[in-house]
Amino acid sequence: MPQRWERVRQLGKQVGKNIKVFHVEKRLILLDSIRFEINSIKTSFPPGTFVWDFRLAGTDIPFGDVGVVPDERVASYKWEGKLPSRERLEQIARQQSLALNQRPNLGPRLILYLIQWGTPLLLIAIGGYWWWRTRRQ
Amino acid sequence: MTSAALLLLREGKPIMMINSLLIIDSFLMTGLLSIIGLRLNGLLKPTSEEANWAAWGLTLLVALAAAISVLGRMSPEFVLRTSLWALHNALSPWIWIFAFLMTNLSFTTAKRVRWFHCMAGGSLLGIALLTTMLHASGIKLINYSQVYSFQGYYRPHGILFTPLEAGLVALLSWAWGLGWGVQQGWRRVAGLLLTGLSTAVVYLTFSRSAWLGLSVALLVGFLFARYQKALWVPLWVTLATFLLCSVGLPLGWQRGVYAAQGDPSVQNRLELWMQMPSHLIRYPFGITEVYSDTIEEYMAAGSTVNFYLDIGVQYGILPLVLLLGIVSVLGWRVMKCGKHGMPVGLWGLGVIATVVCLVFMNPIADSLAMALLGGFWGMVSAMEVKPHEPPRLHPD
C-alpha cells in the first residue's frame, strides 16, 4: 500500500485494569467495533512539526505503548503537509535505526568513557587528597 | 558493551547478580557521595585557589550538560544527530553532585565564582518560572513531544522536561523568594513577588509531589516564623496565592482527590517501593538499563519514581545509605538553624520542600532541574553551620 494507510480505531470500553510493576499496565477492553479510517490523520499539523511515525509497527502495539516498538519500526521526520509513502517510511526508519545503533569509533568512545568515569574519578581523587591533607593538619 | 557478571543461584533461581561495570558505577557514586559527606562534616578543606579552580571546572561541566539538555528539548534532531546526546548521557548521572560541590565550594571560599553562580542560578530559575507561566497561558516556546494533561487542562512545564520538574524548580525559587522577602528595600518587594509567582507555578503544574513538598515546608516555615517574625509575610503570601489559585482553578484539587481514589500512578509507586528490600538484596550494586542483559534485568532497572530509591536501584545499597545520610544531615542543620532565626533556615525551607518532593519523583532525566537542585542544596549546605556563632555568609 504505497499511498494508502488505514488508521484502525478499536472502539470499546475498559472493563478492568490490572496494575503490574515497573509501569506495565494490563487493561482489559471489551471490543464493540473496529473503524477503519482511510488515509486519515487525527489532526493536521503545522508544517515543520516533528512527527514520530509508528505506521510500520502495525496496529498491534501492546497496550498502545509506543515505547516497546523496536527502533527499526519507527521513523521520525518533519511534517511537510502529507504522509510519506510506506516505502519512503521504511527507508527513513532503516537509515535512522542504522545511525542510532552505529557504535561510535574507538576514539570518540574512549573520550566518552573518559568523561563518564574519568571526571568522577578525578573528583574523588582530589577529594581524597584534600581529606588526607586535612587529617594530617 | 561486554562485561563480566557473577550470578548467585539458589535452587536454580537467581538470588544475586553482580556485574563488573555496575560495580564501577556503584563505586564512583559511593565515592562522590562520600566526598559530599566529608565536605558537609568539615573534613575536606581546600585552599581558596584550589576551591576556585575546582568550582570553575565543575561549573563548566554542569553548564555543558544543562545546556545540551535544554537544546535537546528545543532541537532534538540536532542533538541526536551530533554526539552531544552521548556527551550529555555520559555526564548526566553525576550532574547534581557536581552542582552540589560546585556551589558548596564557591559559597565558602571562591567569591567570584559565587557571584557567577548567583547570577546564573537566579536567571535560570527566572527563565524556568517565566516559560512555565507562558506555557500555562498557551504560549509555547518549545515544540513539546509530550503533552501532560488532566481532565482537559494542559499542565505547563516551560523549558523543563515535565510538570514534575517545573514544580520542583518552582520550590527552589519559592525559597529564594522567602530569603529575599524577609530583607529590606527592593529585595523585599522582589522577594514577595517571587514567592507569589513561584507558589502560583507550583499550583499550576498540578504536581502533587511539589504540592506536598510546599505544604511540609510551609508548616516548618510557620514553626520558624516564631523565631523570625519577618517570615510571616512571605508565608502568608504563599498561602494567599495558593488559595487564590485554588479558587480560580479548582480542578487541581480534583487531581489531589484522585490520588486517594485509586490513581494507578500512586498505587504503582507504592507497589514498587515495597519490592525495594528484595531488589537491593538481589542487586547489591544496582542495575541499570544500559548494562542489563536480560529482559528481567531490564524490567528491574525501571524507575521507582522516587529519587532516593532510584539511587538504590541503579547504584546499590551503599550509595542509598550515603544519600539518606546526606539528606538527614542537611535537614537536621536546616531545622537547627531555622530555630535560631538564621537565614539558612529560610533558604533551607527550599531543601525541605524538595527533599519531600523527591520522594514521589525523580528528575534525573532533566539535567537543568538536577543542576539547579544540586546547586541549591550545595549553596544551603555552605551557609552557617554553627548556630551560636554570628552568620558567616549568606547569599546576596
Side-chain angles (χ1 to χ4, degrees):
Chain A
M1 51 175 212
Q3 292 297 330
R4 182 184 153 90
W5 169 56
E6 291 176 340
R7 185 162 74 93
V8 180
R9 292 187 68 193
Q10 296 184 347
L11 306 176
K13 62 180 176 189
Q14 187 174 300
V15 293
K17 189 189 278 187
N18 184 15
I19 307 303
K20 295 282 179 189
V21 294
F22 301 111
H23 304 292
V24 178
E25 276 186 12
K26 193 175 183 179
R27 295 181 186 194
L28 185 63
I29 294 176
L30 190 66
L31 187 64
D32 289 337
S33 62
I34 294 177
R35 185 191 297 167
F36 293 93
E37 297 173 357
I38 312 299
N39 277 349
S40 110
I41 50 170
K42 201 170 181 182
T43 53
S44 67
F45 313 112
T49 304
F50 195 73
V51 177
W52 293 94
D53 197 323
F54 291 90
R55 277 182 289 156
L56 296 176
T59 53
D60 294 329
I61 300 173
F63 315 124
D65 181 6
V66 292
V68 300
V69 176
D71 291 335
E72 62 271 16
R73 309 308 294 162
V74 186
S76 60
Y77 50 83
K78 283 199 171 166
W79 184 250
E80 290 172 354
K82 62 175 186 176
L83 284 167
S85 68
R86 197 177 172 88
E87 283 79 12
R88 175 73 188 129
L89 202 62
E90 277 178 353
Q91 202 182 0
I92 296 171
R94 202 164 36 246
Q95 282 171 355
Q96 288 177 345
S97 175
L98 273 175
L100 201 68
N101 295 323
Q102 197 177 24
R103 294 185 71 173
N105 295 329
L106 188 64
R109 248 193 301 160
L110 279 176
I111 293 171
L112 283 178
Y113 286 140
L114 200 67
I115 293 167
Q116 187 179 350
W117 290 332
T119 44
L121 202 62
L122 181 67
L123 199 57
I124 292 167
I126 292 170
Y129 168 68
W130 286 344
W131 178 59
W132 171 77
R133 201 177 56 190
T134 309
R135 278 195 70 190
R136 272 186 64 199
Q137 286 168 356
Chain B
M1 182 186 293
T2 53
S3 63
L6 172 67
L7 188 66
L8 302 182
L9 301 169
R10 183 189 289 158
E11 294 170 359
K13 290 181 181 170
I15 54 165
M16 191 182 283
M17 153 89 190
I18 298 169
N19 182 310
S20 60
L21 290 173
L22 283 169
I23 291 178
I24 296 175
D25 272 355
S26 181
F27 161 75
L28 292 173
M29 185 54 85
T30 306
L32 288 177
L33 291 174
S34 303
I35 297 289
I36 290 184
L38 290 170
R39 180 78 188 139
L40 278 181
N41 290 300
L43 296 170
L44 290 186
K45 289 177 185 166
T47 62
S48 296
E49 199 177 349
E50 286 170 346
N52 200 30
W53 277 105
W56 276 119
L58 291 169
T59 304
L60 186 72
L61 294 173
V62 170
L64 185 66
I68 298 173
S69 179
V70 175
L71 188 64
R73 235 156 281 150
M74 291 194 288
S75 177
E77 263 189 331
F78 172 74
V79 172
L80 281 171
R81 201 171 51 240
T82 56
S83 302
L84 285 175
W85 199 241
L87 182 64
H88 173 267
N89 289 346
L91 284 171
S92 64
W94 323 115
I95 282 306
W96 75 272
I97 299 178
F98 289 174
F100 187 109
L101 289 168
M102 162 188 99
T103 47
N104 181 283
L105 289 171
S106 72
F107 273 76
T108 44
T109 43
K111 204 173 177 181
R112 288 177 74 181
V113 199
R114 183 173 77 222
W115 178 85
F116 176 77
H117 287 160
C118 281
M119 293 302 287
S123 307
L124 285 170
L125 284 175
I127 291 168
L129 283 185
L130 201 66
T131 51
T132 309
M133 287 302 275
L134 287 173
H135 192 181
S137 60
I139 301 167
K140 289 190 283 185
L141 301 175
I142 293 173
N143 198 8
Y144 301 105
S145 59
Q146 286 189 347
V147 174
Y148 298 84
S149 66
F150 178 72
Q151 293 188 5
Y153 169 75
Y154 289 95
R155 299 168 61 199
H157 49 99
I159 55 165
L160 293 152
F161 192 44
T162 72
L164 294 176
E165 278 84 10
L168 180 85
V169 168
L171 291 176
L172 302 178
S173 56
W174 172 75
W176 195 303
L178 292 186
W180 275 10
V182 296
Q183 295 181 29
Q184 297 298 321
W186 68 269
R187 275 202 186 136
R188 184 176 174 80
V189 179
L192 292 176
L193 280 173
L194 188 58
T195 305
L197 183 67
S198 306
T199 309
V201 168
V202 169
Y203 186 89
L204 291 172
T205 57
F206 282 14
S207 163
R208 291 167 300 197
S209 45
W211 283 29
L212 189 65
L214 185 67
S215 313
V216 173
L218 206 57
L219 288 176
V220 177
F222 281 124
L223 176 73
F224 290 174
R226 290 169 59 201
Y227 308 98
Q228 191 164 359
K229 303 294 178 200
L231 186 57
W232 283 111
V233 179
L235 290 181
W236 285 122
V237 167
T238 305
L239 211 56
T241 310
F242 208 84
L243 286 174
L244 272 176
C245 290
S246 303
V247 173
L249 190 66
L251 187 66
W253 287 95
Q254 282 185 36
R255 190 168 151 76
V257 172
Y258 181 49
Q261 291 178 336
D263 178 357
S265 70
V266 176
Q267 290 180 18
N268 202 24
R269 282 174 170 89
L270 297 176
E271 214 169 310
L272 291 166
W273 298 350
M274 282 189 283
Q275 293 175 5
M276 273 307 289
S278 59
H279 188 99
L280 287 176
I281 291 168
R282 188 159 179 196
Y283 302 102
F285 294 97
I287 178 85
T288 55
E289 289 171 1
V290 180
Y291 302 137
S292 57
D293 296 323
T294 64
I295 187 71
E296 194 189 20
E297 284 169 29
Y298 183 82
M299 294 300 279
S303 172
T304 61
V305 208
N306 175 317
F307 176 66
Y308 312 102
L309 295 186
D310 273 354
I311 290 284
V313 167
Q314 289 164 8
Y315 301 101
I317 301 167
L318 207 50
L320 173 66
V321 172
L322 284 168
L323 176 65
L324 293 178
I326 288 165
V327 168
S328 306
V329 169
L330 264 180
W332 177 78
R333 276 189 192 169
V334 168
M335 292 301 290
K336 198 174 171 183
C337 294
K339 284 181 181 174
H340 286 85
M342 297 168 77
V344 67
L346 308 183
W347 292 83
L349 287 175
V351 173
I352 289 176
T354 48
V355 161
V356 173
C357 181
L358 289 173
V359 174
F360 301 95
M361 67 166 296
N362 185 357
I364 197 76
D366 189 340
S367 288
L368 176 62
M370 286 309 277
L372 289 169
L373 176 78
F376 190 87
W377 284 13
M379 180 185 80
V380 172
S381 73
M383 292 183 187
E384 300 90 339
V385 290
K386 294 171 186 167
H388 299 294
E389 289 181 1
R392 189 180 70 211
L393 165 76
H394 64 85
D396 299 324

